[in-house]
């Protein structure tokens, strides 16, 4: 629904879903102890007092806790979805009703609505942008240069978004600091590997209810997301094939025990194809043409461009929804290809995204990255900045503490040894 006031207050599917959303947000919070500690500190210190903040993110139960933490820190926060199929409508309703956070997101929104929401976010004149894919930042740079003066900086936690920011910097248009949350160890080691691995297979199973054991699953890309997906698929009994363009990642996949093939050779062998590259058309016409009848394709990268769905649609004589988030393309060659989640993030389109325990660390990084920008306002050069190592380590320490695990620390003698060059054999 849309408010009728001059400035829109929210645009969510149904405020009546708020009670369910509240219950699910509370459940997620059980496994997010690190972000809770940060939120409690923010509530006392108010690091974002007087600042306008926009978050373009997947509107999930975990994202709700990030938004609540940022508001507790004094931020005038506004949320929009970073993907048309990733919004949990009950969560969006609860954020509006229970926390008075403006949310503009509906599951299934079309591209025109999505782009309009990006404009609404920029109408908020943000001082800080929390981005997921860099659509808000890219639109700011392309269409609203005059607002850059308002900006302290942005944060980004997707591989796709970091690729775009690096391209912006190379072209000289990234004229403000952006924090690379994606490459924090407590983000990509856990979120990309364990989160993507589990949630991607969860999405596939919910969408299809097929048995994975014995299937040939082709994982396209062996970055951290690909590693996690391949690991979990093997754990479910699948025969995993990896495709890669990077020789280092390819040999790593081989040494991890996976078959590595070019896509042209993997295409006729695969039963299920999962793209996790962040690049365009990694599964395209010549691959679709030789796939088995009934092959299933899906994407767990940020944007839906990894699969060349325009080609597939042009070759189809019929497109039919056979289950929710499951479309069968009946091709002119007599075979069919099944596409999950419209080629969008299958773990969020058909499932609930990453487990809360994983996002606890990712969103702790996002929250502390925002604080880092504020503390260093005017001191950071334009371009990408890494999360400080000590912040990364503190997040890991808090997580260990929360789950009751203690570790050793160096003795004075050991500290002296590793800082000296005179000792040896």
């Amino acid at each position: 629904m849309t408010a009728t006031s001059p400035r829109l207050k929210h645009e969510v599917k149904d405020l009546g879903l708020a009670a369910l959303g509240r219950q699910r947000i509370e459940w997620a919070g059980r496994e997010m102890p690190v972000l809770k500690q940060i939120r409690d500190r923010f509530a006392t210190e108010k690091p974002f007092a007087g600042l306008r903040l926009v978050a373009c993110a997947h509107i999930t139960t975990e994202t709700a806790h990030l938004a609540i933490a940022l508001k507790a820190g004094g931020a005038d926060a506004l949320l929009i979805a970073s993907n048309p199929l990733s919004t949990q409508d009950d969560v969006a309703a609860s954020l509006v009703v229970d926390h008075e956070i403006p949310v503009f997101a509906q599951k299934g929104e079309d591209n025109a609505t999505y782009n309009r929401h990006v404009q609404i976010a920029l109408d908020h004149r943000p001082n800080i942008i929390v981005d997921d894919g860099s659509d808000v930042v890219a639109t700011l740079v392309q269409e609203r240069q005059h607002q850059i003066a308002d900006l302290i900086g942005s944060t980004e936690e997707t591989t796709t978004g970091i690729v775009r920011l690096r391209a912006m910097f190379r072209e000289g248009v990234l004229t403000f600091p952006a924090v690379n949350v994606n490459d924090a160890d407590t983000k990509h080691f856990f979120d990309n590997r364990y989160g993507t691995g589990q949630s991607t297979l969860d999405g596939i199973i919910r969408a299809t209810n097929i048995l994975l054991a014995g299937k040939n699953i082709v994982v396209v890309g062996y970055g951290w997301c690909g590693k996690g997906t391949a690991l979990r698929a093997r754990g479910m009994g699948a025969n995993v094939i990896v495709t890669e363009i990077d020789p280092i990642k390819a040999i790593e996949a081989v040494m991890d025990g996976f078959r590595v093939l070019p896509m042209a050779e993997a295409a006729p062998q695969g039963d299920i194809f999962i793209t996790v590259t962040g690049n365009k058309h990694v599964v395209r016409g010549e691959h679709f043409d030789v796939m088995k009848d009934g092959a299933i394709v899906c994407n767990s990268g940020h944007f839906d461009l990894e699969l060349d769905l325009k080609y597939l649609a042009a070759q189809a004589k019929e497109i039919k929804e056979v289950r929710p988030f499951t479309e069968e393309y009946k091709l002119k060659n007599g075979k069919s290809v099944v596409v999950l989640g419209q080629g969008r993030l299958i773990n969020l389109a058909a499932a609930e995204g990453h487990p809360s325990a994983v996002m606890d660390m990712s969103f702790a990084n996002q929250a502390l990255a925002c604080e880092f920008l504020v503390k260093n306002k005017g001191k950071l050069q334009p371009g990408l900045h890494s999360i400080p190592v000590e912040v990364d380590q503190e997040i890991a320490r808090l997580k260990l503490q929360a789950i009751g695990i203690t570790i050793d620390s160096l003795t004075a003698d050991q500290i002296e040894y590793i800082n000296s060059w005179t000792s040896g054999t």
Side-chain angles (χ1 to χ4, degrees), residues 170-287:
R170 285 195 302 270
E171 294 182 16
V173 297
L174 185 63
T175 57
F176 49 85
V179 180
N180 181 353
V181 172
N182 187 65
D183 288 349
D185 286 346
T186 47
K187 196 278 181 183
H188 68 254
F189 281 167
F190 299 89
D191 181 322
N192 295 16
R193 175 169 46 174
Y194 301 117
T196 301
Q198 177 170 312
S199 62
T200 295
L201 297 192
D202 183 21
I204 293 170
I205 292 168
R206 291 196 201 196
T208 64
N209 194 33
I210 63 169
L211 180 69
L212 300 185
K215 296 289 194 300
N216 291 332
I217 294 184
V218 179
V219 177
V220 186
Y222 202 67
W224 285 106
C225 292
K227 291 173 189 175
T229 303
L231 179 67
R232 291 292 176 261
R234 179 165 63 188
M236 295 288 287
N239 305 306
V240 179
I241 300 169
V242 170
T243 73
E244 250 301 339
I245 60 165
D246 184 325
I248 295 175
K249 292 177 181 176
I251 193 64
E252 183 181 9
V254 170
M255 301 303 285
D256 285 345
F258 299 109
R259 293 175 64 200
V260 176
L261 296 174
M263 177 55 75
E265 295 181 28
Q269 298 185 43
D271 299 305
I272 303 169
F273 297 80
I274 305 168
T275 58
V276 277
T277 70
N279 210 335
K280 179 181 179 180
H281 293 172
V282 294
V283 178
R284 49 191 181 272
E286 65 265 32
H287 307 136

Side-chain angles (χ1 to χ4, degrees), residues 85-311:
L85 284 180
S86 65
T87 297
Q88 296 169 3
D89 289 317
D90 55 340
V91 171
S94 176
L95 285 171
V96 173
V97 171
D98 299 318
H99 302 282
E100 298 184 343
I101 296 174
V103 179
F104 297 83
Q106 297 180 15
K107 189 177 182 75
E109 64 188 46
D110 58 24
N111 287 338
T113 302
Y114 174 81
N115 291 329
R116 180 167 56 80
H117 289 169
V118 171
Q119 295 296 334
I120 288 171
L122 290 173
D123 287 344
H124 194 54
R125 299 193 68 87
N127 307 119
I128 299 172
I129 296 171
V130 176
D131 225 346
D132 223 3
S134 284
D135 272 348
V136 176
V137 166
T139 305
L140 174 74
V141 169
Q142 291 172 318
E143 302 178 15
R144 301 207 186 190
Q145 283 277 328
H146 63 284
Q147 285 187 221
I148 291 178
D150 294 335
L151 200 62
I152 297 171
S154 69
T155 71
E156 174 60 57
E157 70 164 331
T158 69
T159 303
T160 300
I162 295 301
V163 168
R164 297 179 80 186
L165 288 171
R166 286 181 175 139
M168 289 182 211
F169 187 65
R170 285 195 302 270
E171 294 182 16
V173 297
L174 185 63
T175 57
F176 49 85
V179 180
N180 181 353
V181 172
N182 187 65
D183 288 349
D185 286 346
T186 47
K187 196 278 181 183
H188 68 254
F189 281 167
F190 299 89
D191 181 322
N192 295 16
R193 175 169 46 174
Y194 301 117
T196 301
Q198 177 170 312
S199 62
T200 295
L201 297 192
D202 183 21
I204 293 170
I205 292 168
R206 291 196 201 196
T208 64
N209 194 33
I210 63 169
L211 180 69
L212 300 185
K215 296 289 194 300
N216 291 332
I217 294 184
V218 179
V219 177
V220 186
Y222 202 67
W224 285 106
C225 292
K227 291 173 189 175
T229 303
L231 179 67
R232 291 292 176 261
R234 179 165 63 188
M236 295 288 287
N239 305 306
V240 179
I241 300 169
V242 170
T243 73
E244 250 301 339
I245 60 165
D246 184 325
I248 295 175
K249 292 177 181 176
I251 193 64
E252 183 181 9
V254 170
M255 301 303 285
D256 285 345
F258 299 109
R259 293 175 64 200
V260 176
L261 296 174
M263 177 55 75
E265 295 181 28
Q269 298 185 43
D271 299 305
I272 303 169
F273 297 80
I274 305 168
T275 58
V276 277
T277 70
N279 210 335
K280 179 181 179 180
H281 293 172
V282 294
V283 178
R284 49 191 181 272
E286 65 265 32
H287 307 136
F288 289 125
D289 289 344
V290 298
M291 286 181 181
K292 297 177 181 179
D293 182 26
I296 295 170
V297 298
C298 65
N299 169 49
S300 213
H302 188 76
F303 291 126
D304 61 351
L305 295 174
E306 301 204 27
L307 308 172
D308 188 354
L309 295 181
K310 288 184 178 179
Y311 174 89

Side-chain angles (χ1 to χ4, degrees), residues 6-48:
R7 177 189 167 194
L8 294 174
K9 297 299 183 185
H10 55 79
E11 194 168 313
V12 301
K13 184 177 181 180
D14 182 1
L15 293 179
L17 297 171
L20 176 60
R22 183 186 320 122
Q23 183 178 3
R24 293 181 59 239
I25 290 168
E26 289 173 356
W27 175 260
R30 294 174 179 227
E31 295 220 332
M32 302 185 75
V34 177
L35 192 57
K36 181 181 184 302
Q37 291 178 69
I38 292 170
R39 182 188 72 211
D40 291 344
R41 178 171 65 81
F42 280 1
T44 300
E45 298 177 4
K46 303 292 183 185
F48 310 118

Side-chain angles (χ1 to χ4, degrees), residues 360-399:
D360 186 31
M361 287 183 285
S362 297
F363 285 151
N365 274 291
Q366 283 281 35
L368 295 180
C370 292
E371 184 181 39
F372 173 74
L373 284 170
V374 173
K375 285 183 174 179
N376 291 277
K377 180 182 178 182
K379 301 175 186 177
L380 299 173
Q381 294 297 313
L384 276 172
H385 298 264
S386 298
I387 290 277
V389 173
E390 58 271 20
V391 172
D392 214 351
Q393 291 180 337
E394 176 65 6
I395 291 170
R397 187 191 68 78
L398 289 173
K399 192 68 168 180

Side-chain angles (χ1 to χ4, degrees), residues 413-424:
D413 188 43
Q414 289 170 330
I415 293 172
E416 180 182 359
Y417 176 79
I418 63 175
N419 285 285
S420 171
W421 61 271
T422 58
S423 298

